[in-house]
Amino acid sequence: MDTKELLKKVRKIEIKTRRLSDHIFGGEYHSTFKGRGMTFSEVRQYQFGDDVRSIDWNVTARYNEPYVKVFEEERELTMMLMVDVSGSELFGTTNQFKKEIITEISATLAFSAMQNNDKVGLILFSNEVELFIPPKKGKSHVLRIIRELLEFVPRSHETNISEAFKFLRNVMKKKAIVFMLSDFIAEGYDNTLRIAGNKHDVTGIRIYDEKEEYIPNLGMIQVQDAETGGIQLVNTSSKKVRHEYWKYHLERVDYFNDAFAKSGSGVLSCRVDESYVKKLLGYFKRRG
């Protein structure tokens, strides 16, 4: 991708996702993800309905009338986007690849954080961590993240979600809002997810294609594994083969839901041809 084409794509995604974050997700994001606590702001005269526990007795004694302490939310948060860049994300049988939807959701979340003056960082992973961008504030930083999501070429096509969570544990010492975006066609990450969930506010966003749920009857076809490159013949006319394919998909989905639930983390699943806007908004409202 040349520079001119890349900038054009970045601009296109910025216009689309910035509009969403400004008009839809900004307020929902703010109300869903709270600050680290409350800090003292000022004192003012007591008003009917105020909590008597907030009365400042020293000021009250000085002025001989009740005054209360006013606190405000300590807002600054850090968001980490953990994005799967393995080979299986370059799959899609409708209008878009999974990778394209993941990029749009990541950009929307990043702009929502930016609008609330929060820091945003990025981890791109395959079966290893491919790229780490430390959290920072600002539009230029968010646009850099979008550029990387668009043009980054990973060294590996395989997936290891557990390694990504281990890396997160090592680099993020303070609590963060963590969104992991992947198709989650993997297992063996429940322990590292549990450790991450104990420290961070984690949400798994599973992006999938309808043809990953079931395989149609197409007779004898040649298929290639997007991550290992292995090729084999599959008899899709066999009911047993189609059932095993469907069963394998269900097992991965169940593992994903169970692992995140047991770690106290949130989950969101969105098919490539569904509206991620409705899915995200619904998730934020439930969380809020």
Side-chain angles (χ1 to χ4, degrees):
M1 193 184 303
D2 60 36
T3 304
K4 188 176 180 181
E5 184 185 358
L6 174 62
L7 291 175
K8 188 177 178 181
K9 286 195 172 187
V10 170
R11 181 60 178 158
K12 184 179 178 181
I13 287 180
E14 180 192 1
I15 291 170
K16 180 176 181 178
T17 59
R18 183 73 183 271
R19 191 183 300 123
L20 289 172
S21 62
D22 285 351
H23 295 100
I24 300 175
F25 296 115
E28 294 296 338
Y29 167 87
H30 183 96
S31 61
T32 301
F33 301 104
K34 305 297 183 183
R36 290 175 292 183
M38 306 299 287
T39 56
F40 174 75
S41 175
E42 60 180 348
V43 292
R44 60 164 172 78
Q45 284 183 301
Y46 177 86
Q47 297 173 0
F48 179 75
D50 284 340
D51 190 340
V52 294
R53 291 173 297 182
S54 63
I55 291 176
D56 187 320
W57 295 107
N58 290 330
V59 178
T60 296
R62 189 181 309 150
Y63 291 100
N64 204 29
E65 58 180 314
Y67 276 76
V68 294
K69 294 178 181 178
V70 178
F71 294 85
E72 61 184 19
E73 183 184 1
E74 189 181 357
R75 174 65 217 177
E76 185 179 288
L77 301 172
T78 297
M79 176 192 288
M80 282 303 305
L81 297 170
M82 302 180 69
V83 177
D84 184 351
V85 291
S86 62
S88 62
E89 307 309 328
L90 292 171
F91 179 76
T93 59
T94 52
N95 295 326
Q96 290 180 295
F97 290 142
K98 288 182 282 184
K99 178 184 176 181
E100 293 173 293
I101 300 297
I102 286 173
T103 298
E104 288 190 17
I105 293 175
S106 298
T108 302
L109 292 170
F111 278 122
S112 296
M114 185 193 83
Q115 186 180 344
N116 283 278
N117 202 34
D118 293 338
K119 296 178 181 178
V120 188
L122 177 68
I123 295 172
L124 300 181
F125 69 93
S126 54
N127 63 347
E128 61 181 336
V129 171
E130 300 267 359
L131 176 71
F132 171 56
I133 299 179
K136 280 180 63 177
K137 295 182 181 181
K139 180 180 175 181
S140 61
H141 180 69
V142 170
L143 292 178
R144 183 200 167 188
I145 286 174
I146 295 173
R147 286 198 302 272
E148 294 292 355
L149 288 166
L150 282 170
E151 71 168 355
F152 187 82
V153 179
R155 293 180 293 272
S156 171
H157 296 296
E158 298 183 31
T159 310
N160 191 323
I161 292 173
S162 185
E163 282 299 313
F165 279 128
K166 286 179 185 176
F167 182 84
L168 175 73
R169 181 179 64 197
N170 291 331
V171 297
M172 296 302 296
K173 302 302 180 185
K174 294 182 179 179
K175 182 177 180 179
I177 298 166
V178 178
F179 289 97
M180 176 174 277
L181 298 98
S182 172
D183 52 22
F184 289 95
I185 306 176
E187 288 187 332
Y189 55 84
D190 53 329
N191 287 331
T192 49
L193 168 58
R194 178 175 47 78
I195 294 169
N198 287 336
K199 184 174 184 179
H200 304 292
D201 187 335
V202 181
T203 298
I205 301 181
R206 184 176 70 91
I207 304 301
Y208 67 101
D209 187 274
E210 63 175 345
K211 293 300 185 289
E212 291 170 335
E213 296 181 276
Y214 66 92
I215 190 168
N217 185 351
L218 300 172
M220 189 70 74
I221 60 170
Q222 190 178 67
V223 295
Q224 182 176 25
D225 188 311
E227 299 199 357
T228 65
I231 298 173
Q232 68 181 79
L233 287 173
V234 176
N235 182 14
T236 62
S237 61
S238 165
K239 286 185 179 180
K240 182 180 179 182
V241 168
R242 295 200 302 273
H243 177 75
E244 289 298 319
Y245 185 90
W246 172 75
K247 183 181 174 185
Y248 177 82
H249 168 77
L250 283 187
E251 287 172 351
R252 300 292 82 71
V253 175
D254 288 344
Y255 182 89
F256 163 72
N257 288 325
D258 289 347
F260 275 81
K262 288 175 181 177
S263 71
S265 303
V267 293
L268 171 62
S269 291
C270 182
R271 208 169 61 197
V272 170
D273 58 333
E274 291 180 322
S275 168
Y276 67 80
V277 176
K278 290 181 180 178
K279 294 275 187 173
L280 271 180
L281 197 55
Y283 177 72
F284 282 174
K285 285 184 179 296
R286 289 193 303 272
R287 283 286 308 265

